[in-house]
Amino acid sequence: MIRIFLKTFLYRLFRRFGWPKVKPVNFTLGISCVCNSRCQTCHIWEKKVEELKIEEWEKILKKIGSGIFWVTISGGEPFLASHLVALVKLVKIYLQPNIITIPTNGLLTEVIIDKVKRICEENNKVKIIINFSLDGLGPRQDEIRGVEGSFEKLIKTYRGVKQLDYDNLTVGIHTVISKLNTKDLPTLFNFVLDELKPDQYITEIAERRVELDNLTYDITPSPEEYSLIIDSLREKIKKHEFKKVGRITEAFRLEYYQAVKRILREETQVIPCYAGVASAQISADGQIWPCCIRADNLGNLRDNNYDFKKVWFSPEAGKVRRSIKNKECACPLANAFYTNMLGHNRTLLKVITHLR
């Protein structure tokens, strides 16, 4: 964490002046668009792209190099990818992150448990976070996720992974708050915290994202609905004891939820956004984005000899960074917001108070 705090000064300069040129500290790698869920909030599974092969990922990661703190490997459903375990190993070798997060719908019980074992054993010096996507109880989960038996399969897989005995493993639950489940959330919160007892519990508001191909969907709750729901969750989290890296995650989340309320009300950036500066995303077909909401294509790695820095420091990327800096967009994307909080002293101090 100390090295990130030291870098925040450089990121502020880079965001403001375009110098010094620094790599992101937070990467999201979209390993695949393939998914075995049919969620009502997402249609990524309908996308047809020529996905990067493991040999191409190695070229990319090698040229990015070390010094990255946090990597998320997303989908689609990441555990459907045959090269997931190999990719995590390459991420560890070349990027040397402190944390690797992998979300999952939990449908492939045996496959997920086996791959989590291998990932933890092969990368024992890296904190591995597996987040299970749970949006409702019983039939509601099946309905929202579009697959019969989703709830039972997720719970079975979650319990199987939770029983694994690895010091570097954190097992969490992730809930998308949408218009589809607002009335059910108080009961869901109690079930997750009291029955499942995850190492961390995170929620994210449903958004229209280019990545998810859902720009026409009416899924985002009103500011009033969200405030009532999230205030209830914040009070429950404050009373709950989390362990491992989850304790730090929840401290950030408590302030993140407050920020989301303001973003929904004010429809503007409430703290400076460092997407395109401190955080970046690489799509399944090699495009570089500042974030998955706007998904501006800064350039395709296949067209640039797999050289991330060449694209990241290009004039085109600079134009997008200026657009974000000028508040031409505003969103509560959680992944990028973590790094935003690190660059905002007042918010970071509030986070630290939650860790006492």
Side-chain angles (χ1 to χ4, degrees):
M1 291 294 289
I2 294 175
R3 68 178 179 176
I4 297 182
F5 296 144
L6 295 175
K7 273 189 174 182
T8 55
F9 178 68
L10 299 179
Y11 287 126
R12 291 179 188 184
L13 292 174
F14 184 35
R15 181 177 181 272
R16 185 170 182 179
F17 302 111
W19 181 92
K21 294 179 179 180
V22 286
K23 295 181 297 186
V25 73
N26 172 10
F27 271 88
T28 297
L29 311 180
I31 190 172
S32 175
C33 294
V34 177
C35 190
N36 49 353
S37 287
R38 296 294 180 264
C39 301
Q40 294 187 41
T41 56
C42 168
H43 264 213
I44 195 172
W45 55 272
E46 287 190 323
K47 285 187 173 183
K48 306 297 180 185
V49 302
E50 185 183 348
E51 296 177 353
L52 293 166
K53 298 178 175 61
I54 191 64
E55 296 82 7
E56 294 178 291
W57 276 115
E58 182 164 18
K59 292 177 183 178
I60 294 166
L61 299 173
K62 188 174 183 179
K63 290 192 176 185
I64 292 173
S66 62
I68 312 305
F69 181 78
W70 179 26
V71 176
T72 300
I73 299 177
S74 70
E77 169 52 44
F79 284 93
L80 280 172
S82 60
H83 56 297
L84 173 62
V85 177
L87 178 61
V88 174
K89 187 67 175 289
L90 292 176
V91 166
K92 173 201 157 185
I93 292 171
Y94 293 116
L95 304 191
Q96 298 177 18
N98 291 59
I99 300 172
I100 297 176
T101 298
I102 308 173
T104 179
N105 58 26
L107 296 182
L108 303 170
T109 302
E110 291 78 12
V111 170
I112 293 171
I113 293 174
D114 176 66
K115 288 186 177 182
V116 171
K117 286 180 180 178
R118 291 161 60 193
I119 288 170
C120 289
E121 290 169 359
E122 293 178 12
N123 307 278
N124 61 342
K125 293 185 179 180
V126 182
K127 294 180 178 67
I128 304 297
I129 302 176
I130 307 297
N131 280 329
F132 287 84
S133 299
L134 180 61
D135 297 339
L137 297 177
R140 288 297 293 139
Q141 171 77 355
D142 298 1
E143 181 181 355
I144 293 170
R145 291 282 165 172
V147 175
E148 187 176 350
S150 288
F151 179 76
E152 291 183 0
K153 291 175 183 177
L154 180 145
I155 297 301
K156 180 180 179 182
T157 311
Y158 168 83
R159 295 194 189 283
V161 172
K162 197 76 166 60
Q163 289 176 358
L164 298 178
D165 186 20
Y166 295 103
D167 291 337
N168 61 330
L169 176 62
T170 293
V171 185
I173 299 289
H174 174 274
T175 295
V176 176
I177 297 176
S178 72
K179 286 187 174 182
L180 301 170
N181 64 358
T182 50
K183 295 180 180 178
D184 306 319
L185 288 175
T187 304
L188 178 62
F189 293 159
N190 288 335
F191 175 76
V192 170
L193 294 172
D194 298 336
E195 299 295 327
L196 296 183
K197 295 180 170 47
D199 298 323
Q200 67 175 33
Y201 183 38
I202 60 178
T203 73
E204 191 161 6
I205 192 166
E207 301 174 84
R208 297 173 180 176
R209 301 183 184 181
V210 172
E211 177 194 32
L212 303 183
D213 197 22
N214 66 355
L215 296 181
T216 61
Y217 292 20
D218 182 21
I219 54 177
T220 307
S222 69
E224 295 75 21
E225 286 178 309
Y226 180 79
S227 292
L228 287 173
I229 292 165
I230 214 62
D231 285 346
S232 170
L233 177 59
R234 287 184 83 249
E235 290 306 312
K236 292 179 185 297
I237 287 175
K238 288 178 182 178
K239 298 174 183 177
H240 196 83
E241 289 190 13
F242 292 95
K243 299 177 181 179
K244 301 183 180 180
V245 72
R247 184 167 174 265
I248 299 173
T249 301
E250 297 304 330
F252 274 89
R253 283 281 165 172
L254 287 171
E255 288 307 312
Y256 163 72
Y257 295 143
Q258 292 292 78
V260 174
K261 292 195 295 183
R262 286 188 58 198
I263 294 170
L264 293 177
R265 288 196 311 267
E266 301 171 25
E267 297 183 347
T268 188
Q269 295 177 21
V270 297
I271 65 174
C273 181
Y274 285 79
V277 176
S279 58
Q281 180 153 345
I282 300 176
S283 71
D285 60 349
Q287 293 183 29
I288 297 179
W289 302 338
C291 70
C292 64
I293 303 295
R294 290 175 46 142
D296 306 82
N297 183 9
L298 307 183
N300 195 294
L301 287 161
R302 283 175 167 145
D303 301 328
N304 291 275
N305 196 30
Y306 303 100
D307 189 344
F308 175 85
K309 296 173 189 175
K310 179 182 178 181
V311 178
W312 194 246
F313 300 129
S314 67
E316 293 77 12
K319 291 177 183 177
V320 174
R321 273 191 279 274
R322 286 191 291 274
S323 171
I324 297 171
K325 177 177 175 288
N326 292 334
K327 297 186 176 183
E328 294 175 9
C329 57
C331 77
L333 177 64
N335 195 295
F337 212 88
Y338 277 135
T339 45
N340 297 348
M341 294 163 84
L342 288 170
H344 193 252
N345 291 341
R346 202 178 332 149
T347 303
L348 190 56
L349 285 173
K350 291 179 181 178
V351 170
I352 292 172
T353 61
H354 295 306
L355 290 171
R356 290 179 179 175

